Every structure is written in structure tokens, then in C-alpha cells.
Amino acid sequence: MRTHELVLRQVEADLAAGKLRLGDRLPGERALAGQLGVSRPSVREAIRVLEAMGVVRTAVGSGPDAGAVIVADPASPLTATLRLHLATSHLPMGDIVQTRVLLESWAVREAAGRAEPDQLAAAGALLDAMDDPELPRERFHLLDAEFHVALATLAGNVLVSTIMASLREAIHGYVMAAAPNLPDWPSAAAGLRAQHRAVLAAVTGGDGDTAAQLVAEHIEGFYRASRLA
């Protein structure tokens, strides 16, 4: 059994036993390594995988907010199996792109005119954060992936939301691989911002067909522009 599976099982067992709750902090690397009989680098890699799965959120440093905090219950068989598989697999970029087009175009069409105001506001807040001209490129792409997960969530389909959340790390990975191929990053970023705003505006305005067309063009256009197609 791989180390991240050991850590995941320990988290599930502690949650079931009431020893841990959502929002609690995992033991430190040294404590987990001793508890599980593995090395500290193995624990560090395990935490990285659990973060990719959406089970924990990490913060560096030594303050009260440092460490790995449990943000999702991994006990659901669907969530645990799907996120574990996608977080640890090397998926073909073309397959990820096609899956995104299918899921996101359907989701925005369904969500158009029906999404809750607080959901739309949350998606808009991600775009506002991406407007910062000093935003590091990697942070921009992380927010980009979060925005697309938020778009999929607007439709209210739990399975679609789970699949998109599980793909978050894979999406970020191929986008970061593509970024160096964009010759003019400021112009590319401005274009991505405008496309995101147009998709969200179409959803908010109830124009599902336009939203679906725009999000498909946005996803496929980036793939082509980055010369990964």
C-alpha cells in the first residue's frame, strides 16, 4: 500500500472514530511518520496527494494556520476512489480537454438562469482575484482551475461537480505545462479574463446556448494556442 493510501485510511478511521473532525489539523510530519512507520518525505508526498484530492488544505509556515487541515470527508466511496485515481494518474491532455468540454458546456447550459446568486457571486469573486495585474502566473492558473470547478458546480449535479473537482489537479497540471508556450502572457491573460467574464455573464443572463459555446471555445482555444493540440 502506498503512503498516501495509509494516510488516507488513517484520516478515514480517525474521522469515523470521532478523533478528527472537518477543520481539524493533521498531526505533523514527524508524528505521522512515526505513527505509520514511514519516512517524513513519504508523508510529505502523501499530504500533497491528499491536497490534490481535495481532502486537506495546507499552509506553510510555523504559525497557527500552518499544516494540513481536513476540509472534506474522504469516506464517500465515490469521492475517495475517483479523487484518488485522478490525483495519482497521468491522464492524456487531449482526454482532459474533451472531458472538460463535455462537462462544462452541459453544466453552464443547465445553470443558465437557474444558478443561485451566492454561487454566481463566488464564481465572480474568483474572477475578481484574477484581475490583479501583479498576480503570479501559477496563482492565476490555480484560480482559473477553481473557476472552472465553480462553473461545473452551478448546475447542481453532484456527480459532475465531483468529477470536475477530481480533475482540478490534472487541469492545473496541463495548463502549467502549456503556459510557457504562450509567447505574450499579458495579452493571453487579458484574453482569458475576458472569456471567463463572457461565460459567467451568459450564465447569469440565462443564455445557456451561448454560455456552452463560449466555454467550449475557451477551453479548446487555449489548448490550440498553447500548441499542445
Side-chain angles (χ1 to χ4, degrees):
M1 182 181 295
R2 290 176 290 184
T3 304
H4 60 262
E5 293 173 313
L6 287 173
V7 176
L8 183 61
R9 285 197 176 186
Q10 187 66 51
V11 170
E12 289 176 336
D14 288 347
L15 283 167
K19 296 178 182 178
L20 287 175
R21 293 177 297 178
L22 295 183
D24 284 352
R25 200 171 309 281
L26 288 182
E29 286 181 8
R30 180 178 301 173
L32 273 177
Q35 183 178 353
L36 299 174
V38 298
S39 68
R40 291 180 67 179
S42 295
V43 170
R44 194 173 303 124
E45 175 64 14
I47 297 301
R48 188 199 68 78
V49 173
L50 293 182
E51 185 171 30
M53 292 165 62
V55 174
V56 302
R57 183 185 67 246
T58 62
V60 297
S62 57
D65 295 326
V69 177
I70 300 172
V71 295
D73 188 341
S76 162
L78 170 66
T79 300
T81 302
L82 187 58
R83 289 186 175 177
L84 179 61
H85 174 69
L86 293 180
T88 58
S89 297
H90 298 287
L91 302 174
M93 285 181 283
D95 290 355
I96 299 171
V97 170
Q98 290 177 346
T99 301
R100 290 185 62 193
V101 170
L102 286 170
L103 294 178
E104 294 187 50
S105 60
W106 177 87
V108 296
R109 184 179 286 111
E110 288 293 308
R114 297 167 42 191
E116 296 294 329
D118 59 333
Q119 293 178 308
L120 294 170
L126 292 170
L127 298 187
D128 291 341
M130 293 172 70
D131 284 341
D132 181 359
E134 302 301 320
L135 194 67
R137 187 181 296 193
E138 182 168 2
R139 179 62 180 161
F140 182 98
H141 291 312
L142 284 169
L143 290 170
D144 191 329
E146 289 295 330
F147 172 71
H148 284 278
V149 172
L151 279 183
T153 302
L154 294 177
N157 184 298
V158 175
L159 180 56
V160 169
S161 299
T162 300
I163 293 172
M164 276 300 297
S166 302
L167 282 171
R168 182 192 290 113
E169 187 71 10
I171 292 170
H172 180 243
Y174 93 72
V175 168
M176 286 303 296
N181 295 332
L182 299 172
D184 185 352
W185 170 243
S187 295
L192 293 173
R193 291 186 184 103
Q195 291 164 17
H196 288 150
R197 294 283 183 187
V199 172
L200 188 58
V203 172
T204 303
D207 191 345
D209 288 340
T210 296
Q213 179 181 346
L214 288 174
V215 80
E217 291 175 350
H218 165 71
I219 295 168
E220 292 172 338
F222 180 86
Y223 189 51
R224 288 193 301 270
S226 59
R227 301 194 294 276
L228 291 176

